[in-house]
Amino acid sequence: DVVMTQTPVSLPVSLGGQASISCRSSQSLVHSNGNTYLHWYLQKPGQSPQLLIYRVSNRFSGVPDRFSGSGSGTDFTLKISRVEPEDLGDYYCLQSTHFPWTFGGGTKLELK
Amino acid sequence: EVQLVETGGGLVQPGRSLKLSCVASGFTFNNYWMSWTRQAPGKGLEWVASITNSGGSTYYPDSVKGRFTISRDNAQNTLYLQMNSLRSEDTATYYCTRYDYWGQGVMVTVSS
């Protein structure tokens, strides 16, 4: 199985500041069709997860441009600039290139 | 508007069965793969099952293979998860997901 190592586990930030979350996979996430199926989700307290970024760097509908995704192969990053209160919660990466699909362990973005 | 509404959760004894349903609306259901993902209390996300848009192929992690069955009725826009031989470690909130949209989740508690 592909192991997704997500760091840090906890990320204290100041409002208006920047945050960066890393997700590393135990093997390449490049599919045989050339696409890389690495996605990022935010789960706000008491809510279902919501998709932020799909296939590494594509912002989902309605997601502010403060969120950006980058990376390739086995190393991926989610950056959040100008952090706002509604950005707080748990962030997860998901790889759906290989079965079984696997999530990172999560990063809690909280106020410093 | 895409909506996914899960039902069927509850308290069940170890070794017994439970069937979850998810009614989809707001999109052409038979155009999309669908999945179930779960989250144990206070824990991260775990992918449980996926099914192709036609229903012809299904996929599971080892943790539920042979016990859980995902299926769909495209005429009724409904996704199912049949869970047999339930264990305490299956206790979780179960989400129906199109991967970009998620339902509100349904709680399953396995306990004697």
Side-chain angles (χ1 to χ4, degrees):
Chain A
D1 298 1
V2 177
V3 176
M4 302 298 292
T5 302
Q6 191 175 332
T7 56
V9 172
S10 175
L11 184 52
V13 295
S14 301
L15 295 178
Q18 182 166 312
S20 179
I21 301 170
S22 168
C23 200
R24 289 195 168 128
S25 57
S26 59
Q27 63 188 85
S28 174
L29 299 186
V30 180
H31 194 275
S32 56
N33 65 13
N35 290 325
T36 300
Y37 296 96
L38 185 285
H39 322 290
W40 291 96
Y41 295 87
L42 164 60
Q43 186 175 31
K44 298 180 184 180
Q47 296 187 17
S48 304
Q50 58 189 83
L51 180 65
L52 297 173
I53 301 287
Y54 64 96
R55 281 191 275 119
V56 180
S57 59
N58 299 279
R59 269 188 303 277
F60 187 54
S61 174
V63 174
D65 60 7
R66 302 181 290 101
F67 292 88
S68 63
S70 63
S72 63
T74 62
D75 201 347
F76 304 91
T77 302
L78 175 71
K79 283 189 165 60
I80 312 160
S81 60
R82 306 183 304 280
V83 171
E84 298 189 4
E86 59 264 32
D87 301 338
L88 302 180
D90 296 324
Y91 288 78
Y92 295 94
C93 59
L94 164 69
Q95 72 80 21
S96 58
T97 296
H98 306 285
F99 284 109
W101 296 356
T102 44
F103 287 89
T107 295
K108 182 176 288 293
L109 189 70
E110 52 196 0
L111 283 180
K112 194 177 287 185
Chain B
E1 179 194 5
V2 172
Q3 285 202 318
L4 300 168
V5 179
E6 305 98 333
T7 56
L11 174 63
V12 61
Q13 292 179 326
R16 304 299 290 262
S17 299
L18 201 63
K19 187 171 186 176
L20 306 182
S21 299
C22 168
V23 175
S25 61
F27 65 102
T28 305
F29 185 65
N30 61 13
N31 281 354
Y32 290 86
W33 283 41
M34 296 295 296
S35 300
W36 291 94
T37 296
R38 68 185 179 184
Q39 185 171 37
K43 301 296 185 184
L45 300 169
E46 180 188 16
W47 169 72
V48 170
S50 289
I51 186 168
T52 56
N53 50 322
S54 67
S57 293
T58 57
Y59 305 88
Y60 308 91
D62 286 347
S63 58
V64 307
K65 195 177 294 184
R67 299 189 300 122
F68 288 13
T69 302
I70 188 173
S71 61
R72 64 193 297 162
D73 181 341
N74 284 344
Q76 299 293 323
N77 287 353
T78 303
L79 179 72
Y80 301 102
L81 185 68
Q82 176 68 47
M83 302 184 293
N84 298 332
S85 303
L86 282 161
R87 306 166 180 167
S88 58
E89 54 263 37
D90 296 319
T91 293
T93 296
Y94 285 74
Y95 295 100
C96 166
T97 169
R98 203 182 79 170
Y99 117 84
D100 49 355
Y101 289 94
W102 296 55
Q104 84 286 353
V106 63
M107 185 67 199
V108 172
T109 303
V110 184
S111 174
S112 54

